[in-house]
């Protein structure tokens, strides 16, 4: 609903303002009627006070132009692709590629004599106020583009909002006087100062609007309405990023097509777990989910908006979820095709809330996820989502939650195999040393020193920072177990007296002496606990890969948005039970490494539990 209101407000300002500008030029200016108006270059609002340095006509021209650029950005922005990659565990990079249509941009700019005047071109919505790290912008030729500074973003947003107010002014060419238009600069100053001052409240803006002299009553009532104040507050807390852009023209003065490339760094946010989930993660650890904001979905105006998430190096994408205002939406897989199709190592999978009329389509494999938004269906879906639990001060946002799973072969599997070999050799050494009547030999104990050394080698971090954080506790536990096993094997090897007590000389009288049987039991117990922990880690990673478990959890979280026929008479419960059974079977096949494609159920499973129920 807010998105449709936003579009309606900008439509009123853009359409009515174009008419007003054209009529004013025809009736009041001495220049020929076919000569476009000139746009003054550079910022005209004072960065500190918000005072406009030009005339009322110049302010009106700026507002009209900026309003049209924002309103019709779905036309001149032919395609937007935003790629999200993780630099480390705390930082990810957003890289945007915007295809600019020169002919569609010219349809807007030809109303005015822009020439070589730079424009405030809106490129990304939903930006959080604050410094932007390592931002870089370039055009299709590789030339650097200037990023609008904070006061320039506020100035462009002021023009955009003022265009909405001016669009409601009476269209009476020839009747405009300086006294009638004196309120325009004051309104611009009021909007600009509200955007600049984070502590300023909407109530203060309402008071300032009501005190503006000569402001028409219908405009004043609209400026103090809840819809306009909501849009004003949204653009204050989630501003629009602009670039200072000069269109390039060919020899015939036609605007060329261009490709803008912009990238910057953001802080990566891991989702906050509840008390129950935090306690459960201690005993049943698993990949930690990351929450990634999707502001482009909130401001999506056309079907050419693509959001791409790329997994870090040596990691794979596991469980996925998309929420709006805290409410998870259904992500259902496509029905299976009858004809067998050959697919590569990873199975591309298309998920959507409704495959007949999708609002969000998510195509994924193990390394990459691409989200495609459909604006009309997206607006309908936003209207269906209940917002009773949301904080009214924070506008709802689209968020993608993703987990990144490490490969077993990097640490988990080698460490587990070496610990198992360590336990086996230690058991043999203990048996031949203390369980036989013959003279013991230290050769078996000496061999048991090799696996702990290999385990310590695999325990050294050599992967991405996200995988390093996931393996941190396991790596510490494995290193501790390998160190204790190595110490025990060294004592067994070089203890020539073969006494029933092992003493570790620390500092007299603090020598640590433990019985041989007790020390063996302690070492084996610690190693077995480490092995068990590594097995649990590998199992949780495998479970994150299985789509049946993801869909089972998704159906429970998004049940409010499911059709009624899928919830009545226990249909949802039976569906989740069948998905749980399918997930267990897939887990068995994954553990045995019999099947690599785990997203599609096996044919005999589909016959037993029903393909329609599973999918």
């Amino acid at each position: 609903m807010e998105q449709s209101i936003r579009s309606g407000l900008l439509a009123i300002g853009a359409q009515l303002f174009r008419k007003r500008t054209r009529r004013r030029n025809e009736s009041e200016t001495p220049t020929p009627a076919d000569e476009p108006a000139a746009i003054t270059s550079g910022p005209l609002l004072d960065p500190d006070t918000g005072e406009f340095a030009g005339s009322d006509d110049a302010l009106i021209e700026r507002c009209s132009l900026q309003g049209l650029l924002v309103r019709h950005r779905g036309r001149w922005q032919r395609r937007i692709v935003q790629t999200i990659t993780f630099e480390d565990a705390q930082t990810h990079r957003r890289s945007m590629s915007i295809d600019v249509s020169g002919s569609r941009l010219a349809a807007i700019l030809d109303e005015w004599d822009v020439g070589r005047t730079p424009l405030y071109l809106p490129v990304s919505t939903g930006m959080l106020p604050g410094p932007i790290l390592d931002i870089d912008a370039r055009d299709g030729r590789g030339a650097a583009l200037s990023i609008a500074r904070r006061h320039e973003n506020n100035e462009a947003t002021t023009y955009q909002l003022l265009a909405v107010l001016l669009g409601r002014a009476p269209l009476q060419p020839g009747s405009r006087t300086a006294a009638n238009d004196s309120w325009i600069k004051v309104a611009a100053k009021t909007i600009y100062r509200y955007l600049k001052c984070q502590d300023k409240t909407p109530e203060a803006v309402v008071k300032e609007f009501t005190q503006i002299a000569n402001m028409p009553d219908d405009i004043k009532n609209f400026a103090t309405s809840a819809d306009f104040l909501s849009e004003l507050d949204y653009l204050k807390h989630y501003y629009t990023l602009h670039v200072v852009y000069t269109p390039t023209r060919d020899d015939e003065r036609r605007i060329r097509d261009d490709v803008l490339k912009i990238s910057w760094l953001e802080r990566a946010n891991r989702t906050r777990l509840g008390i129950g989930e935090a306690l459960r993660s201690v005993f049943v650890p698993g990949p930690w989910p990351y929450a990634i904001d999707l502001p482009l979905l909130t401001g999506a105006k056309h079907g050419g908006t693509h959001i791409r998430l790329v997994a870090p190096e040596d990691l794979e994408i596991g469980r996925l979820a998309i929420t709006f205002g805290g409410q998870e939406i259904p992500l259902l897989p496509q029905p299976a095709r009858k004809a067998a199709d050959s697919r590569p190592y990873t199975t591309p999978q298309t998920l959507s809330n409704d495959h007949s009329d999708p609002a969000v389509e998510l195509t994924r494999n193990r390394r990459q996820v691409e989200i495609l938004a459909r604006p009309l269906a997206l607006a309908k879906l936003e209207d269906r989502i209940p917002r009773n639990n949301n904080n009214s001060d924070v506008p709802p946002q689209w968020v993608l939650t993703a987990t990144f799973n490490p490969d077993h072969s990097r640490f988990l599997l080698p460490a587990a195999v070496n610990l198992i070999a360590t336990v086996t050799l230690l058991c043999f050494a203990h048996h031949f040393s203390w369980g036989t009547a013959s003279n013991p030999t230290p050769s078996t104990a000496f061999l048991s020193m090799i696996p702990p050394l290999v385990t310590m080698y695999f325990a050294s971090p050599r992967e991405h920072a996200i995988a390093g954080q996931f393996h941190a506790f396991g790596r510490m536990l494995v290193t501790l177990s390998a160190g204790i096993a190595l110490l025990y094997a060294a004592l067994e090897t070089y203890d020539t007296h073969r006494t029933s007590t092992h003493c570790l000389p620390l500092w007299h009288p603090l020598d640590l002496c433990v019985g041989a049987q007790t020390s063996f039991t302690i070492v084996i117990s610690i190693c077995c606990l480490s092995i068990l922990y590594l097995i649990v880690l590998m199992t949780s990673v495998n479970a994150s890969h299985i789509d049946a478990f993801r869909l089972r959890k998704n159906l429970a979280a998004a049940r409010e948005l499911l059709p009624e026929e899928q919830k009545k008479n226990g249909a949802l419960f039976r569906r989740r039970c069948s998905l749980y059974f399918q997930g267990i079977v897939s887990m068995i096949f994954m553990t045995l490494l019999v099947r690599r494609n785990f997203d599609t159920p096996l044919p005999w499973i589909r016959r037993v539990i029903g393909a329609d129920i599973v999918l």
Side-chain angles (χ1 to χ4, degrees), residues 273-506:
L273 300 180
I275 297 179
E277 293 179 341
L279 292 176
R280 185 176 59 186
S281 65
V282 175
F283 301 99
V284 186
W288 198 291
Y290 281 82
I292 304 169
D293 293 334
L294 304 176
L296 284 186
L297 289 188
T298 307
K301 298 299 180 182
H302 56 95
T305 301
H306 298 256
I307 302 175
R308 185 177 299 150
L309 173 65
V310 180
E313 185 180 1
D314 299 327
L315 293 172
E316 295 180 344
I317 297 176
R319 189 165 297 166
L320 295 169
I322 296 180
T323 60
F324 179 72
Q327 172 63 54
E328 186 172 338
I329 68 171
L331 288 179
L332 309 178
Q334 280 184 337
R337 302 175 181 177
K338 295 182 180 179
D341 52 352
S342 59
R343 297 190 177 188
Y345 146 73
T346 53
T347 302
Q349 183 187 46
T350 300
L351 307 175
S352 177
N353 64 305
D354 184 1
H355 289 283
S356 60
D357 184 22
V360 176
E361 283 186 313
L362 187 149
T363 303
R364 59 162 293 179
N365 55 26
R366 294 289 180 89
R367 289 283 305 152
Q368 184 172 304
V369 174
E370 185 155 342
I371 302 174
L372 175 63
R374 303 184 182 275
L376 296 180
L378 195 66
K380 296 179 182 178
L381 180 61
E382 290 179 356
D383 294 338
R384 290 176 50 201
I385 295 178
R387 305 182 187 180
N388 298 331
N389 297 330
N390 293 336
N391 188 350
S392 58
D393 296 335
V394 180
Q397 298 292 316
W398 288 94
V399 177
L400 171 66
T401 303
T403 60
F404 300 103
N405 301 330
D407 190 2
H408 295 340
S409 61
R410 301 286 292 186
F411 166 68
L412 296 177
L413 189 59
V417 170
N418 279 278
L419 283 179
I420 292 175
T422 300
V423 171
T424 303
L425 290 176
L426 288 179
C427 290
F428 277 115
H430 181 76
H431 173 72
F432 288 118
S433 298
W434 305 101
T436 60
S438 59
N439 294 329
T441 58
S443 59
T444 309
F446 176 78
L447 292 177
S448 62
M449 296 174 59
I450 299 176
L453 294 175
V454 178
T455 303
M456 290 183 177
Y457 169 76
F458 283 108
S460 60
R462 300 184 308 276
E463 65 268 332
H464 193 273
I466 293 180
Q469 283 192 350
F470 175 69
H471 291 148
F473 185 77
R475 182 172 283 111
M476 179 190 68
L477 194 61
V478 166
T479 303
L480 177 64
S481 302
I484 293 176
L486 179 63
L487 179 61
Y488 175 81
L491 291 176
E492 285 287 318
T493 302
Y494 297 106
D495 186 6
T496 57
H497 300 289
R498 314 305 298 170
T499 60
S500 60
T501 302
H502 287 158
C503 291
L504 183 64
L506 297 177

Side-chain angles (χ1 to χ4, degrees), residues 539 542-543 546 549 582-592:
T539 304
N542 291 345
I546 296 176
F549 289 146
Q582 177 188 332
I584 294 296
V585 175
S586 300
M587 178 72 73
I588 295 174
F589 278 90
M590 178 177 288
T591 304
L592 298 177

Side-chain angles (χ1 to χ4, degrees), residues 126 147 171 225 262 279 287 361 459 467 470 495 572:
I147 301 296
L171 297 176
S225 64
I262 308 165
L279 292 176
E361 283 186 313
F470 175 69
D495 186 6
L572 182 60

Side-chain angles (χ1 to χ4, degrees), residues 49-51 165 182-197 199-216 219-221 223-224 228-229 232 236:
T49 63
E51 295 284 351
L165 297 181
S182 59
W183 62 270
I184 299 177
K185 292 183 179 181
V186 182
K189 178 180 178 181
T190 301
I191 296 174
Y192 179 85
R193 295 180 65 178
Y194 176 75
L195 296 174
K196 177 185 176 183
C197 302
D199 298 335
K200 207 167 188 179
T201 61
E203 290 76 13
V205 177
V206 171
K207 183 178 180 181
E208 293 182 9
F209 274 133
T210 56
Q211 295 176 352
I212 298 178
N214 299 323
M215 189 176 187
I219 298 180
K220 184 176 298 185
N221 293 334
T224 56
F228 185 81
L229 293 177
L232 180 63
K236 176 179 181 178

